[in-house]
Amino acid sequence: MPPSSATRVRTTVFSPRLAALMGTHTGQDVFRLEPDTIGVAGHEVADRILAARRATETERPTFKPLHGRSITRTEASTVTRTIGNDVREALARPLPKDVDLAGSWPLTGHLFLRDLILSQDPYRLRMLMSRTLELTPKLTWSVIAIGAALPGWPRPSSRLTGLASRATQATGYQERRYAMGMYRRAAAPVCFTVSTLVANALWLGAPFDDATPHRNIIFESLRLLPPSWNILRNASPEYPAIDDRIGERDDVLVLPLLAHRDPALWDDPDAFRPERWDDLDPETTPGYLPFGHSSERCWGRHMVMPLAELLLDLVRGSGLVVDPGQTTGKVPLLGLLGVADVRLTRPRRR
């Protein structure tokens, strides 16, 4: 199915550094990015790098040490299961009526998901979902410090999410700070990632053919604009043995953004073609790493897919369209890769 005329007139503008990375290194396997950093985009080398050892606590994207306190894999797993249960419970409830998803995305989608999953939680916790806190870590920790110090710490209640119920068990200022930090670490990435993913999909491909499954749209959006577009591994003795272009002191940056556009792996790699996933398995397709390597998949992927499908279903059923007047979408250099502002509007009546 060829792209619609609407998608053909849209131009995706990457930040200069991202554009240079893609323009210089797409199709390469191993290359030097910085004096102490090697980039890896070749799927065979990337597979061996990521299989060589598990991520350390400082390499994990979500569960890095918090306030100088290590987060064990057991705790990270428990917290992930908790937010996963909260998501399943939210999806089982009736949806709010008259949902209006017009506006700027991913913000609009993010606010919808926040309210869908966490609407019953106390304000001091829900406020940690604000995208404004992404501006600087200092702002995030200031909000957490104030929230932990305020009187009236939330008490256990059947109305709360499991994630908020964990926070109610905190006693003392330091434990409350930690609990609020963990609440944000667990819940915010789910809403941020899903809303960004769906905004990317709408920008890249809407309007979609009615017969195109949601899953194909999501997988193709993850290919062209993977929110987790790089995977860091710090220097490790295993890596020079895998490829002699990697030095003993070199950090390694595995780059799904480039692997997902490698012309050796993909037909028409820069085109949005969701139908390609009719015959591809995202779990086994070489070089496809939107949720990490098979040896250590992202724990949150089982939440991302149903939430993304729900958002797509609501948008596709609502008649909303990407604003015909918006012809340029900017992708800034951020940890979460996505189009910064996709404007959804209702079609103009003729």
Side-chain angles (χ1 to χ4, degrees), residues 332-343:
L333 179 59
L334 296 173
L336 193 66
L337 191 74
V339 183
D341 174 27
V342 179
R343 299 190 295 274

Side-chain angles (χ1 to χ4, degrees), residues 267-320:
D267 294 331
D268 202 4
D270 293 322
F272 183 83
R273 288 175 45 190
E275 68 275 11
R276 74 173 81 234
W277 295 99
D278 290 341
D279 304 313
L280 293 177
D281 181 350
E283 294 292 324
T284 59
T285 297
Y288 189 63
L289 298 169
F291 297 116
H293 188 256
S294 59
S295 64
E296 199 170 11
R297 293 281 193 226
C298 170
W299 292 336
R301 69 189 189 280
H302 298 303
M303 293 176 268
V304 168
M305 291 302 294
L307 289 172
E309 291 191 59
L310 170 65
L311 275 183
L312 270 179
D313 190 61
L314 291 173
V315 172
R316 295 176 78 179
S318 69
L320 293 171

Side-chain angles (χ1 to χ4, degrees), residues 13-19 21 106 131 133-137 192 196 200 225-231 253 255 257 330-341:
V13 179
F14 290 86
S15 75
R17 289 185 65 184
L18 287 172
L21 178 70
R131 293 186 74 97
L133 300 185
E134 293 290 285
L135 295 175
T136 168
F192 288 162
T196 297
N200 291 346
L225 288 174
S228 297
W229 62 277
N230 68 80
I231 303 170
L253 199 65
L255 293 158
L257 176 65
K330 296 182 179 180
V331 179
L333 179 59
L334 296 173
L336 193 66
L337 191 74
V339 183
D341 174 27

Side-chain angles (χ1 to χ4, degrees), residues 29 33 39 45 52 65 90 94 99 115 119 129 135 151 197 232 242 301:
D29 60 346
L33 286 171
V45 180
V99 174
D115 294 342
S119 61
M129 302 296 292
L135 295 175
L197 166 57
L232 174 66
I242 291 172
R301 69 189 189 280

Side-chain angles (χ1 to χ4, degrees), residues 198-262:
V198 174
N200 291 346
L202 294 168
W203 175 256
L204 291 168
F208 307 108
D209 186 281
D210 290 342
T212 304
H214 297 324
R215 65 179 296 277
N216 285 19
I217 295 169
I218 294 166
F219 291 147
E220 186 69 347
S221 176
L222 283 167
R223 185 183 71 84
L224 285 173
L225 288 174
S228 297
W229 62 277
N230 68 80
I231 303 170
L232 174 66
R233 289 293 181 267
N234 294 319
S236 190
E238 295 92 345
Y239 302 150
I242 291 172
D243 192 293
D244 59 14
R245 288 169 289 186
I246 303 173
E248 294 181 357
R249 298 183 179 180
D250 284 331
D251 295 333
V252 176
L253 199 65
V254 177
L255 293 158
L257 176 65
L258 302 189
H260 290 184
R261 293 171 179 263
D262 187 342

Side-chain angles (χ1 to χ4, degrees), residues 107-118:
L107 177 60
T108 299
H110 170 80
L111 296 177
F112 170 81
L113 292 175
R114 179 201 64 187
D115 294 342
L116 177 73
I117 303 167
L118 308 168

Side-chain angles (χ1 to χ4, degrees), residues 2-15:
S4 70
S5 58
T7 58
R8 279 198 295 266
V9 300
R10 294 183 201 140
T11 301
T12 305
V13 179
F14 290 86
S15 75

